Amino acid sequence: MGKRYTLMVSAGEASGDAHAAQALSALHNQGLEFDSFGMGAGKLAAIGTEVLVDCRDLAVIGIVDVLLNYPKFMKRLKLLRQALTRRKPDLLIIVDYPDFNLKLAETARATGIPVLFYISPQIWAWRTGRVKRIGELVSHMAVLFPFEVEVYQKADIPVTFVGHPLVDDAQSDLTQVAAQTHFGIEQGSQLLTLLPGSRRGEIQRNLPVMLTTAHRLLEHIPNCRFLLPLAPTLARTDLDSMLDNSLPITIAEGQACDAMRAADAVLTASGTATLETALIGTPMVVMYVINPINHALMKRMIRIDDIALVNIVAGKRIVPEFIQQAADPQAMADALIPLLHDTDTMQRMREELAIVKARMGEGGASQRVAKLIVRVLEAP
């Protein structure tokens, strides 16, 4: 029987928890014997990881929220550092959440424990100086996008392109008609799916603007209907104060990919949902509103013109973006109307989204990460 390893994993958000759990499941399937512990949520716990810190307790957005919650972050970090030093795992796997996780990587490096960083911070977009620190602390980078490889190669940091787990995850087995029937949407209507985000702060800032946009659309398209899949991190009560009975909207529990498939178009918050929508192939408009102080600080550091991942992967703006003050309901409604009515506009965007899907590579990201974990563990 081979060696049984101990792995520490630190995933700071629900998506990181899911991606880490998929990678460790693939590692199990490849026959590696290991125990795992660290920070995550339900998905990691479900596959047997000992979750010392629940990352759902740390779900904040932007610099201001981080500062307000700093003592809580430091308390969780101290607990994880103590566990790492005491248990001395064979490998620390940090997943996204760079500011927190790189602090944990400092302790690993000082203790002689190798560090695999899965899901790169967007150093190609902002705060490029972080690459030097990553090079000092991280043994190997596992990146999601092909264009990220060059960034780390230039800095002489070992890097492997593993692909994006969304390629496997963003799937719907339903046709558009079957998906609409599943959600109880009457045939013959125009359907817009709303994706305001998965955190309460995102809902509070994005959803009211989206709902006003929906009302503006109804003035132009009386048979327009709306679908809102509720993220598993949220409760229906998080929405109740924002909804009114005058809007023909259906709230669904989860099933985001089926809700994207059902739609003629999607109005989505910026984030990984833009890539999921692209993989499903549904035309979209992207918006985002954050705390004004966060926006002012981040605007000075961002080096790229587009912030939507779908446009970044495309290498050009193929999807309209309405960010911060530009997130005007009438302007967004005007951008959505052609996607709901004009067949040529819809088709052109679908063709551009198909190119993005091709650039995302093949499925199997979790299996490739698992193989990379074995390589790092067995490295001399």
Side-chain angles (χ1 to χ4, degrees):
M1 184 179 290
K3 176 181 177 180
R4 188 174 185 89
Y5 292 94
T6 299
L7 307 179
M8 183 175 188
V9 59
S10 180
E13 296 180 302
S15 60
D17 171 66
H19 297 332
Q22 289 170 333
L24 293 191
S25 293
L27 200 56
H28 273 300
N29 294 338
Q30 290 177 18
L32 192 79
E33 297 281 338
F34 68 92
D35 299 302
S36 56
F37 69 95
M39 179 168 74
K43 296 292 178 65
L44 277 168
I47 64 158
T49 298
E50 181 186 352
V51 176
L52 304 178
V53 173
D54 191 323
C55 68
R56 289 169 291 195
D57 191 35
L58 302 177
V60 298
I61 307 166
I63 298 165
V64 173
D65 288 346
V66 169
L67 292 174
L68 290 173
N69 289 275
Y70 193 75
K72 182 167 69 174
F73 279 92
M74 289 300 99
K75 183 178 179 182
R76 307 301 191 274
L77 179 62
K78 181 180 179 181
L79 190 156
L80 291 170
R81 280 175 160 167
Q82 289 173 339
L84 186 150
T85 304
R86 184 177 70 254
R87 298 169 70 162
K88 292 184 173 55
D90 297 289
L91 176 66
L92 169 64
I93 305 165
I94 55 176
V95 186
D96 204 358
Y97 217 57
D99 292 315
F100 184 98
N101 275 331
L102 286 174
K103 290 183 185 300
L104 187 60
E106 290 174 357
T107 305
R109 204 63 171 169
T111 315
I113 295 166
V115 179
L116 175 67
F117 199 162
Y118 179 32
I119 306 178
S120 168
Q122 296 175 353
I123 56 174
W124 33 267
W126 69 306
R127 292 174 62 193
T128 55
R130 289 179 290 179
V131 72
K132 181 176 183 294
R133 187 164 178 240
I134 289 170
E136 293 168 348
L137 299 174
V138 173
S139 310
H140 205 107
M141 293 296 305
V143 298
L144 306 187
F145 302 108
F147 62 80
E148 293 178 307
V149 172
E150 185 180 0
V151 175
Y152 291 103
Q153 285 179 337
K154 283 183 176 179
D156 292 322
I157 299 170
V159 59
T160 300
F161 166 59
V162 296
H164 207 302
L166 284 181
V167 175
D168 291 317
D169 296 343
Q171 304 280 349
S172 173
D173 297 327
L174 302 176
T175 65
Q176 184 181 16
V177 171
Q180 290 183 355
T181 301
H182 171 74
F183 290 113
I185 306 298
E186 59 202 79
Q187 295 300 308
S189 58
Q190 301 293 305
L191 180 63
L192 178 71
T193 288
L194 306 177
L195 301 172
S198 60
R199 303 164 176 153
R200 289 186 181 88
E202 289 176 315
I203 294 291
Q204 289 163 2
R205 294 190 178 100
N206 294 327
L207 185 56
V209 183
M210 288 185 169
L211 294 176
T212 304
T213 302
H215 280 290
R216 299 287 170 84
L217 276 173
L218 272 178
E219 296 171 6
H220 295 273
I221 310 174
N223 71 332
C224 198
R225 298 295 179 264
F226 307 95
L227 177 60
L228 199 167
L230 190 64
T233 50
L234 300 168
R236 175 63 187 261
T237 52
D238 294 320
L239 315 180
D240 285 343
S241 63
M242 305 176 206
L243 300 173
D244 65 72
N245 294 329
S246 65
L247 196 66
I249 186 167
T250 300
I251 310 297
E253 297 289 335
Q255 307 171 77
C257 289
D258 288 337
M260 295 169 193
R261 172 73 77 211
D264 296 293
V266 170
L267 177 57
T268 177
S270 182
T272 55
T274 70
L275 292 180
E276 290 178 297
T277 306
L279 290 165
I280 295 293
T282 306
M284 77 188 92
V285 166
V286 177
M287 60 84 64
Y288 208 74
V289 179
I290 63 173
N291 180 293
I293 299 174
N294 285 334
H295 181 257
L297 292 170
M298 293 175 68
K299 190 175 181 181
R300 297 185 179 190
M301 295 184 276
I302 292 175
R303 302 172 58 247
I304 55 177
D305 295 328
D306 298 324
I307 73 161
L309 283 169
V310 62
N311 288 331
I312 293 168
V313 175
K316 61 181 180 178
R317 184 168 293 193
I318 62 171
V319 169
E321 294 185 12
F322 297 89
I323 309 303
Q324 211 62 8
Q325 294 93 337
D328 173 71
Q330 187 59 56
M332 292 192 292
D334 290 342
L336 284 161
I337 288 169
L339 296 180
L340 293 165
H341 262 325
D342 183 0
T343 304
D344 289 341
T345 302
M346 285 187 278
Q347 186 56 33
R348 281 196 300 271
M349 187 177 288
R350 288 184 190 277
E351 290 168 359
E352 295 281 13
L353 295 178
I355 295 172
V356 169
K357 182 175 182 177
R359 288 188 178 182
M360 293 280 287
E362 299 177 352
S366 299
Q367 288 74 22
R368 284 188 286 274
V369 174
K371 290 178 181 177
L372 181 57
I373 289 171
V374 174
R375 273 175 47 199
V376 175
L377 284 169
E378 295 180 350

